[in-house]
Amino acid sequence: MVFNTGAALLDAIVLAVVSREREGTYGYKITQDVRRTIEVSESTLYPVLRRLQKDECLEVYDRQFDGRNRRYYKVTEKGMAQLNLYQAEWKSYSMKINELFEGGVSA
């Protein structure tokens, strides 16, 4: 993709992906799910996960899987409120950009 993906958009995408799983989901699966939409590396996504955890939008817990601990992420109430805000902002923003691309906005 030729467009840069800023921090707020990455936060929104990660919150949207994690919110689909009621019990939470783990980092590798989050990476794979995000990659279905945009190309992004694990080294880009893990700082996003840590930032969302620090901002109390995600809670983290470990669960045993094949004899190892797997770190899971789950959206908090605050995270759902933030996701709702991002969704409303995205809807407005994308409508304006589409209008501009389609010639509907004049100076």
Side-chain angles (χ1 to χ4, degrees):
M1 182 180 287
V2 297
F3 299 105
N4 285 338
T5 307
L9 185 55
L10 279 174
D11 288 358
I13 291 168
V14 168
L15 286 172
V17 165
V18 177
S19 73
R20 293 184 199 159
E21 303 290 337
R22 188 170 142 85
E23 295 300 316
T25 187
Y26 55 97
Y28 179 76
K29 184 169 183 328
I30 295 167
T31 302
Q32 297 308 305
D33 290 348
V34 169
R35 282 183 174 166
R36 288 190 188 115
T37 304
I38 62 169
E39 186 54 41
V40 64
S41 68
E42 287 181 35
S43 63
T44 299
L45 281 182
Y46 279 97
V48 173
L49 290 167
R50 283 192 296 277
R51 180 175 59 248
L52 289 169
Q53 179 187 0
K54 181 178 167 256
D55 292 344
E56 300 176 349
C57 291
L58 293 177
E59 61 184 33
V60 178
Y61 63 95
D62 291 335
R63 181 184 286 170
Q64 284 281 348
F65 181 80
D66 285 345
R68 299 177 1 164
N69 275 340
R70 181 181 272 175
R71 178 148 292 176
Y72 281 75
Y73 300 86
K74 184 176 178 181
V75 177
T76 63
E77 243 180 78
K78 183 177 179 181
M80 283 306 298
Q82 187 64 43
L83 177 57
N84 290 333
L85 175 66
Y86 282 140
Q87 288 171 327
E89 288 289 321
W90 179 257
K91 186 174 183 176
S92 172
Y93 177 77
S94 62
M95 282 176 41
K96 290 175 184 175
I97 296 298
N98 284 336
E99 287 174 1
L100 181 65
F101 284 161
E102 294 167 9
V105 175
S106 59

